[in-house]
Amino acid sequence: MKLRCAVLDDYQGVALSSADWSPLADRVDVRVLREHLDDRDALVAAVEDCEILVIMRERTPFDAGLLDRLPRLRLLVTSGLRNASVDVAAARARGIAVCGTASSSTPPTELTWALLLGLARHVRAEAQALREGGPWQSTVGTDLAGRTLGLVGLGKIGSRVAAIGRAFGMDVVAWSPHLTEERAAEHGARFAKDRHELLAAADFVSLHLVLSDRTRGLIGEAELRSMRPSAYLVNTSRAGLVDGGALVRALREGWIAGAGLDVYETEPLPAGDPLRTLPNVLALPHLGYVTEGNYARYFGEAVEDIAAFLAGAPVRELS
């Protein structure tokens, strides 16, 4: 009898066409779930017959309680080589292997700049006016050359964003809890002694940190108020880095000029969420990782993970 595999959250319906699944055809029946199942009972009902699940990183929490409700599960494959929403120890204790895939830092870097440029040149408002027969030119764009780009985090993605900022002629300043002056200099960035100094200096602030107990809520009301009223905040990293309520107030009351967002505490973003309608928000539905190349990498290596597991030698196991 073939094993059963479900691919979760295949919003675009491209999981099966993004990789060659044929090496598994005689051993595994694969199906995809196009809609996100936030309700646990609905999720269990949809996948409880599966021995293998392929999931998108940190979209669906797999804690001990959920794993207990999936007694047939033997392999959990996640995009990326880190997934804070999977209890790996609990999975291992239940005999479930957890494996990952490679993930490129290029797509989120590129999307960060799509948002930043969109904010600087008021792309949303101008494009909407053009489509709807509104005024021809109603805004004045912000120059990037000579402006200050503040990076909260200077890792794989942050350092790439810094390089592009320098190419635009921007002054790049960086801070993170573990960043040193020497490392900042290696990437052509000035070192800020704390986040308040960075936020007060920057015309554009972009977040590039891993979400943890230490970084959750790192940008709260005090931090947002320390930004310039003309400054923009861009977050393609994790929604939890920012106090969501404080951000909405900052946008409504003009503490900052606007925000470019690709990540949210609840995804998909609820229909009535103010971030969908605030005029100074440029919001995208978590597209940072969504490119042809990244999907080929995710699903191609998911096939490899499954084949290796079936051969008794799992690869890219998460610890």
Side-chain angles (χ1 to χ4, degrees), residues 273-310:
D273 194 291
L275 294 176
R276 285 184 177 265
T277 55
L278 282 168
N280 52 352
V281 173
L282 179 56
L284 295 174
H286 203 157
L287 296 176
Y289 62 95
V290 182
T291 66
E292 293 174 352
N294 237 11
Y295 269 26
R297 189 174 293 107
Y298 287 168
F299 296 116
E301 294 196 3
V303 172
E304 294 175 1
D305 287 350
I306 296 169
F309 173 79
L310 295 177

Short mmCIF file of all heavy atoms in Angstrom, two decimals, residues 273-310:
data_model
loop_
_atom_site.label_atom_id
_atom_site.label_comp_id
_atom_site.label_asym_id
_atom_site.label_seq_id
_atom_site.Cartn_x
_atom_site.Cartn_y
_atom_site.Cartn_z
N ASP A 273 -9.11 43.69 8.91
CA ASP A 273 -7.92 44.25 9.54
C ASP A 273 -7.61 45.62 8.94
O ASP A 273 -7.62 45.79 7.73
CB ASP A 273 -6.72 43.31 9.32
CG ASP A 273 -5.55 43.65 10.22
OD1 ASP A 273 -4.93 44.71 10.00
OD2 ASP A 273 -5.25 42.86 11.13
N PRO A 274 -7.32 46.61 9.79
CA PRO A 274 -7.06 47.97 9.27
C PRO A 274 -5.84 48.05 8.35
O PRO A 274 -5.75 48.97 7.53
CB PRO A 274 -6.84 48.80 10.54
CG PRO A 274 -6.56 47.82 11.63
CD PRO A 274 -7.32 46.59 11.26
N LEU A 275 -4.92 47.10 8.46
CA LEU A 275 -3.76 47.13 7.58
C LEU A 275 -4.13 46.93 6.12
O LEU A 275 -3.36 47.26 5.22
CB LEU A 275 -2.74 46.08 8.01
CG LEU A 275 -2.09 46.29 9.38
CD1 LEU A 275 -1.18 45.11 9.72
CD2 LEU A 275 -1.31 47.60 9.43
N ARG A 276 -5.32 46.39 5.88
CA ARG A 276 -5.79 46.22 4.50
C ARG A 276 -6.23 47.54 3.87
O ARG A 276 -6.24 47.65 2.64
CB ARG A 276 -6.97 45.24 4.46
CG ARG A 276 -6.59 43.77 4.63
CD ARG A 276 -7.83 42.91 4.46
NE ARG A 276 -7.55 41.48 4.53
CZ ARG A 276 -7.32 40.70 3.48
NH1 ARG A 276 -7.33 41.23 2.27
NH2 ARG A 276 -7.09 39.41 3.63
N THR A 277 -6.60 48.52 4.69
CA THR A 277 -7.24 49.72 4.15
C THR A 277 -6.54 51.03 4.49
O THR A 277 -6.86 52.06 3.89
CB THR A 277 -8.70 49.81 4.64
OG1 THR A 277 -8.72 49.75 6.07
CG2 THR A 277 -9.52 48.64 4.08
N LEU A 278 -5.62 51.04 5.43
CA LEU A 278 -4.94 52.29 5.76
C LEU A 278 -4.22 52.83 4.52
O LEU A 278 -3.48 52.10 3.86
CB LEU A 278 -3.94 52.07 6.89
CG LEU A 278 -4.53 51.97 8.30
CD1 LEU A 278 -3.50 51.45 9.28
CD2 LEU A 278 -5.05 53.33 8.74
N PRO A 279 -4.42 54.10 4.20
CA PRO A 279 -3.88 54.63 2.94
C PRO A 279 -2.35 54.73 2.91
O PRO A 279 -1.77 54.82 1.82
CB PRO A 279 -4.52 56.02 2.84
CG PRO A 279 -4.86 56.39 4.25
CD PRO A 279 -5.23 55.11 4.92
N ASN A 280 -1.71 54.74 4.06
CA ASN A 280 -0.25 54.85 4.09
C ASN A 280 0.44 53.50 4.31
O ASN A 280 1.58 53.44 4.77
CB ASN A 280 0.21 55.86 5.15
CG ASN A 280 -0.39 55.58 6.54
OD1 ASN A 280 -1.25 54.73 6.69
ND2 ASN A 280 0.10 56.31 7.53
N VAL A 281 -0.27 52.42 3.99
CA VAL A 281 0.30 51.08 4.08
C VAL A 281 0.36 50.46 2.69
O VAL A 281 -0.63 50.47 1.95
CB VAL A 281 -0.55 50.17 5.00
CG1 VAL A 281 -0.04 48.73 4.96
CG2 VAL A 281 -0.50 50.69 6.43
N LEU A 282 1.53 49.94 2.35
CA LEU A 282 1.69 49.13 1.15
C LEU A 282 1.85 47.70 1.64
O LEU A 282 2.88 47.33 2.20
CB LEU A 282 2.92 49.58 0.36
CG LEU A 282 3.24 48.80 -0.92
CD1 LEU A 282 2.06 48.79 -1.88
CD2 LEU A 282 4.48 49.38 -1.60
N ALA A 283 0.80 46.89 1.47
CA ALA A 283 0.76 45.56 2.06
C ALA A 283 0.68 44.48 0.99
O ALA A 283 -0.06 44.61 0.01
CB ALA A 283 -0.45 45.44 3.00
N LEU A 284 1.45 43.42 1.19
CA LEU A 284 1.45 42.26 0.29
C LEU A 284 1.17 41.00 1.10
O LEU A 284 1.45 40.94 2.30
CB LEU A 284 2.81 42.14 -0.41
CG LEU A 284 3.18 43.29 -1.36
CD1 LEU A 284 4.60 43.11 -1.86
CD2 LEU A 284 2.21 43.36 -2.53
N PRO A 285 0.63 39.94 0.46
CA PRO A 285 0.21 38.73 1.18
C PRO A 285 1.34 37.73 1.39
O PRO A 285 1.27 36.60 0.94
CB PRO A 285 -0.89 38.17 0.26
CG PRO A 285 -0.46 38.57 -1.10
CD PRO A 285 0.17 39.93 -0.95
N HIS A 286 2.38 38.14 2.09
CA HIS A 286 3.52 37.30 2.45
C HIS A 286 4.12 36.63 1.21
O HIS A 286 4.14 35.41 1.09
CB HIS A 286 3.13 36.24 3.48
CG HIS A 286 4.32 35.74 4.26
ND1 HIS A 286 4.22 35.16 5.49
CD2 HIS A 286 5.65 35.73 3.96
CE1 HIS A 286 5.42 34.81 5.93
NE2 HIS A 286 6.31 35.15 5.01
N LEU A 287 4.66 37.47 0.33
CA LEU A 287 5.22 37.00 -0.93
C LEU A 287 6.75 36.95 -0.92
O LEU A 287 7.36 36.64 -1.93
CB LEU A 287 4.79 37.92 -2.07
CG LEU A 287 3.29 37.98 -2.38
CD1 LEU A 287 3.02 39.00 -3.46
CD2 LEU A 287 2.77 36.61 -2.80
N GLY A 288 7.37 37.25 0.22
CA GLY A 288 8.81 37.37 0.26
C GLY A 288 9.57 36.18 -0.28
O GLY A 288 10.59 36.33 -0.96
N TYR A 289 9.08 34.99 -0.02
CA TYR A 289 9.77 33.76 -0.44
C TYR A 289 9.20 33.19 -1.73
O TYR A 289 9.70 32.19 -2.26
CB TYR A 289 9.65 32.70 0.66
CG TYR A 289 8.21 32.32 0.93
CD1 TYR A 289 7.65 31.21 0.31
CD2 TYR A 289 7.41 33.08 1.78
CE1 TYR A 289 6.32 30.87 0.52
CE2 TYR A 289 6.09 32.76 1.99
CZ TYR A 289 5.55 31.66 1.36
OH TYR A 289 4.23 31.34 1.57
N VAL A 290 8.12 33.79 -2.26
CA VAL A 290 7.34 33.17 -3.32
C VAL A 290 7.90 33.55 -4.69
O VAL A 290 7.52 34.55 -5.30
CB VAL A 290 5.86 33.58 -3.23
CG1 VAL A 290 5.05 32.89 -4.33
CG2 VAL A 290 5.29 33.23 -1.86
N THR A 291 8.85 32.76 -5.16
CA THR A 291 9.38 32.91 -6.51
C THR A 291 9.54 31.53 -7.13
O THR A 291 9.58 30.52 -6.42
CB THR A 291 10.75 33.62 -6.52
OG1 THR A 291 11.72 32.79 -5.87
CG2 THR A 291 10.69 34.97 -5.84
N GLU A 292 9.66 31.50 -8.45
CA GLU A 292 9.82 30.22 -9.14
C GLU A 292 11.04 29.47 -8.64
O GLU A 292 10.99 28.26 -8.41
CB GLU A 292 9.94 30.46 -10.65
CG GLU A 292 8.68 31.01 -11.29
CD GLU A 292 8.88 31.36 -12.75
OE1 GLU A 292 10.05 31.33 -13.21
OE2 GLU A 292 7.88 31.67 -13.42
N GLY A 293 12.15 30.19 -8.46
CA GLY A 293 13.37 29.53 -8.02
C GLY A 293 13.26 28.96 -6.63
O GLY A 293 13.72 27.83 -6.37
N ASN A 294 12.66 29.71 -5.73
CA ASN A 294 12.53 29.22 -4.35
C ASN A 294 11.57 28.04 -4.28
O ASN A 294 11.80 27.07 -3.55
CB ASN A 294 12.06 30.34 -3.43
CG ASN A 294 13.02 30.56 -2.27
OD1 ASN A 294 14.13 30.04 -2.23
ND2 ASN A 294 12.59 31.37 -1.31
N TYR A 295 10.47 28.09 -5.03
CA TYR A 295 9.54 26.97 -5.03
C TYR A 295 10.18 25.72 -5.62
O TYR A 295 9.96 24.61 -5.13
CB TYR A 295 8.27 27.35 -5.80
CG TYR A 295 7.19 27.97 -4.93
CD1 TYR A 295 7.51 28.62 -3.75
CD2 TYR A 295 5.85 27.89 -5.27
CE1 TYR A 295 6.54 29.19 -2.95
CE2 TYR A 295 4.85 28.45 -4.49
CZ TYR A 295 5.21 29.10 -3.33
OH TYR A 295 4.23 29.64 -2.53
N ALA A 296 10.97 25.89 -6.67
CA ALA A 296 11.67 24.73 -7.24
C ALA A 296 12.61 24.12 -6.20
O ALA A 296 12.76 22.90 -6.09
CB ALA A 296 12.45 25.14 -8.48
N ARG A 297 13.23 25.00 -5.42
CA ARG A 297 14.14 24.54 -4.36
C ARG A 297 13.37 23.85 -3.25
O ARG A 297 13.73 22.75 -2.81
CB ARG A 297 14.91 25.75 -3.82
CG ARG A 297 16.04 25.43 -2.89
CD ARG A 297 16.79 26.70 -2.55
NE ARG A 297 17.49 27.26 -3.70
CZ ARG A 297 17.12 28.35 -4.36
NH1 ARG A 297 16.03 29.01 -3.98
NH2 ARG A 297 17.80 28.78 -5.39
N TYR A 298 12.31 24.48 -2.77
CA TYR A 298 11.51 23.89 -1.69
C TYR A 298 10.99 22.50 -2.06
O TYR A 298 11.23 21.52 -1.36
CB TYR A 298 10.29 24.77 -1.38
CG TYR A 298 10.55 26.06 -0.65
CD1 TYR A 298 9.56 27.02 -0.55
CD2 TYR A 298 11.78 26.33 -0.05
CE1 TYR A 298 9.77 28.21 0.12
CE2 TYR A 298 12.00 27.52 0.61
CZ TYR A 298 10.99 28.46 0.70
OH TYR A 298 11.19 29.64 1.36
N PHE A 299 10.25 22.44 -3.17
CA PHE A 299 9.56 21.20 -3.49
C PHE A 299 10.50 20.16 -4.08
O PHE A 299 10.31 18.96 -3.87
CB PHE A 299 8.37 21.49 -4.39
CG PHE A 299 7.32 22.33 -3.72
CD1 PHE A 299 7.00 23.60 -4.16
CD2 PHE A 299 6.66 21.86 -2.59
CE1 PHE A 299 6.05 24.38 -3.52
CE2 PHE A 299 5.71 22.63 -1.93
CZ PHE A 299 5.41 23.88 -2.39
N GLY A 300 11.54 20.61 -4.79
CA GLY A 300 12.53 19.65 -5.27
C GLY A 300 13.23 18.95 -4.12
O GLY A 300 13.42 17.72 -4.14
N GLU A 301 13.61 19.72 -3.10
CA GLU A 301 14.28 19.11 -1.96
C GLU A 301 13.29 18.37 -1.05
O GLU A 301 13.68 17.44 -0.34
CB GLU A 301 15.08 20.16 -1.19
CG GLU A 301 16.23 20.70 -2.03
CD GLU A 301 17.28 21.45 -1.22
OE1 GLU A 301 17.15 21.51 0.02
OE2 GLU A 301 18.23 21.96 -1.83
N ALA A 302 12.03 18.76 -1.07
CA ALA A 302 11.01 17.98 -0.35
C ALA A 302 10.92 16.57 -0.93
O ALA A 302 10.83 15.58 -0.19
CB ALA A 302 9.66 18.68 -0.41
N VAL A 303 10.95 16.48 -2.26
CA VAL A 303 10.96 15.16 -2.90
C VAL A 303 12.19 14.38 -2.48
O VAL A 303 12.11 13.18 -2.14
CB VAL A 303 10.91 15.31 -4.44
CG1 VAL A 303 11.11 13.95 -5.11
CG2 VAL A 303 9.58 15.92 -4.87
N GLU A 304 13.35 15.03 -2.45
CA GLU A 304 14.57 14.37 -2.00
C GLU A 304 14.46 13.91 -0.55
O GLU A 304 14.89 12.80 -0.21
CB GLU A 304 15.77 15.31 -2.14
CG GLU A 304 16.13 15.68 -3.57
CD GLU A 304 17.24 16.70 -3.64
OE1 GLU A 304 17.76 17.10 -2.57
OE2 GLU A 304 17.59 17.10 -4.76
N ASP A 305 13.88 14.76 0.30
CA ASP A 305 13.71 14.39 1.71
C ASP A 305 12.84 13.14 1.86
O ASP A 305 13.14 12.24 2.66
CB ASP A 305 13.08 15.55 2.48
CG ASP A 305 14.03 16.71 2.70
OD1 ASP A 305 15.24 16.56 2.43
OD2 ASP A 305 13.55 17.78 3.14
N ILE A 306 11.76 13.11 1.10
CA ILE A 306 10.84 11.97 1.19
C ILE A 306 11.52 10.70 0.67
O ILE A 306 11.44 9.63 1.30
CB ILE A 306 9.55 12.25 0.41
CG1 ILE A 306 8.79 13.43 1.05
CG2 ILE A 306 8.66 11.01 0.37
CD1 ILE A 306 7.64 13.96 0.22
N ALA A 307 12.23 10.81 -0.45
CA ALA A 307 12.91 9.64 -1.01
C ALA A 307 13.98 9.12 -0.05
O ALA A 307 14.12 7.90 0.14
CB ALA A 307 13.54 10.01 -2.35
N ALA A 308 14.73 10.03 0.58
CA ALA A 308 15.76 9.61 1.53
C ALA A 308 15.14 8.94 2.75
O ALA A 308 15.66 7.93 3.26
CB ALA A 308 16.60 10.81 1.95
N PHE A 309 14.01 9.48 3.21
CA PHE A 309 13.32 8.87 4.35
C PHE A 309 12.85 7.46 4.01
O PHE A 309 13.01 6.53 4.81
CB PHE A 309 12.12 9.74 4.74
CG PHE A 309 11.24 9.13 5.78
CD1 PHE A 309 11.58 9.16 7.12
CD2 PHE A 309 10.04 8.51 5.42
CE1 PHE A 309 10.77 8.58 8.09
CE2 PHE A 309 9.22 7.94 6.37
CZ PHE A 309 9.59 7.97 7.71
N LEU A 310 12.30 7.30 2.82
CA LEU A 310 11.83 5.97 2.41
C LEU A 310 12.99 4.99 2.29
O LEU A 310 12.82 3.78 2.49
CB LEU A 310 11.09 6.08 1.08
CG LEU A 310 9.79 6.89 1.09
CD1 LEU A 310 9.21 6.98 -0.32
CD2 LEU A 310 8.79 6.27 2.05
#
